[in-house]
Amino acid sequence: MSTRLPTYFISHGGGPWPYLDGPFRRTFDQLEQSLLDIRKELNDAPRAVLVISGHWEENGFAISSGEQPGMVYDYSGFPEHTYHIRYKAPGSPALAKRVQELLGAGGIGARLDPDRGFDHGTFSIMKPLYPGEDIPLVQLSIDRSYDPALHLQLGRLLAPLRDEGVLIIGSGLSYHNLREARGVEGVEPSRQFDAWLQQTLVAGPANERTEHLLHWEQAPLARAAHPKEDHLIPLVAVVGAAEEESGALVYHQKDLFGRITASSFRFGNVPSVQ
């Protein structure tokens, strides 16, 4: 694929939701439809997918490099069968090495991890997005310093992949305060922080976006929305990979878990409008 691909930040939902039935599964119907719409707007399948997952933290950066990655069941309290599911997409040692080289050329070290499996920040979105499980898939960790400047630079260094047929996805949640997500306490923080994200990422000029993200803690109720920013930092990285390009809202829900506002975003144009 020669056309430059956009990048995405996807609010990935709760646990292994695509593998469930019943009311909890239905909570994510809007999210699932947004993923189907993303697949449609991308037209031809990407050559490979790189997911920067908020569920993989390291001191520094690591890249999954195995040929047939396993699974990481990083959740609890779900039915027994969800601890035996498999998302069988192949890994890509070649892409992992390419990522390592791009980062290294910019002064960011990253180690290859041949044993890392797919965590639910990755397989929960990939199952609806590419159910054929046949597109090579690589994960990239975040650095547990959560330094936004570092992750913006990470994204900038990854940008050439967009011209090489690699779809870059940041997987997290636009609101991630699990203690308050199911109560009234989460309503206003999720709503106000989401409104700030939409103003910053979509309505505001792209050339001001970086500065706002560097100081995201100044946003309304920022720390109430993200007591720990592991699920926000992947957004910073994918913005870095499309830093001067327009943002668009691709998923928005006001009643996630009954009360919470959540959103996903695209950066850059889809291939059909380039």
Side-chain angles (χ1 to χ4, degrees):
M1 180 184 290
S2 59
T3 303
R4 170 170 285 197
L5 293 172
T7 69
Y8 291 86
F9 172 74
I10 296 177
S11 288
H12 60 233
W17 63 267
Y19 298 86
L20 298 170
D21 295 311
F24 183 81
R25 174 69 175 77
R26 300 275 70 81
T27 299
F28 303 104
D29 282 352
Q30 292 181 57
L31 173 58
E32 181 173 23
Q33 185 59 53
S34 75
L35 294 169
L36 298 179
D37 292 342
I38 288 171
R39 185 172 73 198
K40 183 178 180 181
E41 74 182 13
L42 288 172
N43 292 320
D44 295 330
R47 178 178 66 83
V49 178
L50 175 67
V51 177
I52 304 165
S53 174
H55 282 271
W56 188 12
E57 302 178 37
E58 295 285 345
N59 294 320
F61 294 99
I63 311 156
S64 66
S65 59
E67 293 186 356
Q68 296 293 331
M71 303 287 280
V72 177
Y73 304 114
D74 52 347
Y75 42 77
S76 61
F78 288 94
E80 178 63 23
H81 80 271
T82 64
Y83 300 91
H84 304 281
I85 57 180
R86 289 293 307 275
Y87 186 77
K88 299 178 182 178
S92 175
L95 175 57
K97 186 64 175 176
R98 173 69 172 145
V99 170
Q100 184 185 46
E101 291 171 348
L102 286 171
L103 296 181
I108 294 180
R111 64 178 179 85
L112 300 179
D113 186 340
D115 299 318
R116 175 70 185 190
F118 301 139
D119 59 55
H120 90 259
T122 293
F123 68 75
S124 66
I125 58 175
M126 290 298 295
K127 181 63 174 176
L129 190 57
Y130 292 112
E133 304 181 10
D134 54 353
I135 296 178
L137 177 59
V138 169
Q139 277 195 195
L140 173 60
S141 76
I142 59 173
D143 180 86
R144 58 170 49 98
S145 70
Y146 308 138
D147 180 356
L150 175 63
H151 289 85
L152 275 165
Q153 180 63 9
L154 177 89
R156 293 173 184 136
L157 296 174
L158 295 173
L161 295 174
R162 299 173 55 206
D163 295 312
E164 300 171 12
V166 178
L167 177 63
I168 304 173
I169 295 175
S171 179
L173 276 168
S174 58
Y175 169 88
H176 195 248
N177 186 336
L178 296 181
R179 180 173 295 180
E180 298 183 353
R182 297 182 184 276
V184 296
E185 300 88 351
V187 174
E188 277 304 298
S190 70
R191 185 187 68 80
Q192 292 192 37
F193 190 74
D194 192 272
W196 178 84
L197 282 175
Q198 293 200 43
Q199 176 61 37
T200 299
L201 302 175
V202 180
N207 61 6
E208 296 180 5
R209 204 165 47 198
T210 297
E211 191 66 20
H212 288 307
L213 289 175
L214 286 171
H215 303 287
W216 71 271
E217 290 177 274
Q218 298 175 10
L221 298 177
R223 277 299 176 189
H226 290 278
K228 179 183 174 185
E229 57 265 44
D230 53 324
H231 277 55
L232 181 67
I233 284 298
L235 164 65
V236 179
V238 297
V239 167
E243 193 166 13
E244 301 301 325
E245 299 176 54
S246 62
L249 185 70
V250 294
Y251 159 70
H252 181 67
Q253 186 168 351
K254 296 180 179 180
D255 61 349
L256 186 66
F257 305 121
R259 302 174 184 269
I260 298 304
T261 301
S263 295
S264 300
F265 300 92
R266 181 187 72 237
F267 304 98
N269 294 326
V270 296
S272 61
V273 298
Q274 294 233 346

